[in-house]
Amino acid sequence: MSNSWKPTNLNNCVLWLHSNNINNIAENGTISTWYDSSGNNNHAIQSTSNKQPIYKTNGLGSRPSVNFDGTDDFMSVPNLTLSSYFTGFIVKKSNVDAMLLEHSPEANTNDGFYLYAPSGNLFKVHRGSYSYGINGNDINNTSPWYVSFQYDGTNMQLWKNGTLAESGVYSSIGDSNTTNTLYIGSRGGTGLFTNSAIYEIILFNSVLSTTDRQKVEAYLNWKYFNGTDSSFS
């Protein structure tokens, strides 16, 4: 790998939102469009000005961030198609967590998923109904971190900073593709708003191999957490 390596070097990247791809916005300016770098034009949008997140220029790794106020800010990616089995990543720092990502306005169905931190050190990734959730009990929600999550048709897994936090077997979940709105920072745009700085969101329409998942994690660690992998410098 080198500093030219990017998530789209891997197959099936359907969404890549990173805060460096927000242009011509000054410190504390509002963000109406967060452009997708995957090449699929899955841009995140918010047309209502008082619900737009705020741009901050100097965050983790001296990178900019997209800041949601925990009151009514959110963005959405319309008509995002995710396969039954997927891999995702998010980099964030939160003051108060709630819903970070939700695919569909009510993801308690076989084909929905969401990332949710209801309180304290809990962190949940759900695929389908609540019973398919897993807890990342070692996660301090006020600390900056990156999380990887994956569903392969049998196992739901959650990694914090590259270390496996939780895993569960949920083989009864439905297996058809689904097209829904992806909400960022809220549940369906109506509640559970997060007070978070989000730096990067990456979704793949496939189960990444361990090697490929670790490539993405190494990239995120280098970019935001002063990783020492010399191949990125």
Side-chain angles (χ1 to χ4, degrees), residues 15 17 42-45 75-80 180-182 184:
L15 181 71
L17 302 176
N42 287 319
H43 310 307
I45 57 175
M75 304 191 82
S76 59
V77 180
N79 300 317
L80 179 68
N180 275 304
T181 297
L182 178 73
I184 303 169

Side-chain angles (χ1 to χ4, degrees), residues 4-123:
S4 62
W5 190 92
K6 50 190 182 293
T8 50
N9 288 13
L10 304 177
N11 293 330
N12 302 311
C13 182
V14 294
L15 181 71
W16 179 24
L17 302 176
H18 61 96
S19 55
N20 290 103
N21 197 25
I22 298 172
N23 302 314
N24 302 316
I25 298 179
E27 176 80 5
N28 295 318
T30 57
I31 302 168
S32 60
T33 304
W34 192 355
Y35 291 99
D36 175 28
S37 296
S38 75
N40 295 300
N41 295 317
N42 287 319
H43 310 307
I45 57 175
Q46 176 53 268
S47 58
T48 303
S49 59
N50 64 355
K51 296 183 178 182
Q52 293 170 351
I54 299 298
Y55 182 75
K56 296 285 189 179
T57 57
N58 190 19
L60 297 175
S62 300
R63 311 280 181 174
S65 61
V66 178
N67 292 262
F68 297 81
D69 65 5
T71 300
D72 58 4
D73 289 357
F74 74 96
M75 304 191 82
S76 59
V77 180
N79 300 317
L80 179 68
T81 300
L82 286 179
S83 65
S84 303
Y85 313 133
F86 58 87
T87 308
F89 305 83
I90 187 170
V91 181
K92 69 97 181 178
K93 184 180 187 301
S94 298
N95 294 316
V96 178
D97 264 333
M99 191 67 71
L100 292 169
L101 299 175
E102 182 183 37
H103 190 231
S104 89
E106 180 61 45
N108 282 12
T109 63
N110 281 346
D111 296 313
F113 91 87
Y114 58 87
L115 289 176
Y116 176 47
S119 63
N121 287 339
L122 293 176
F123 188 85

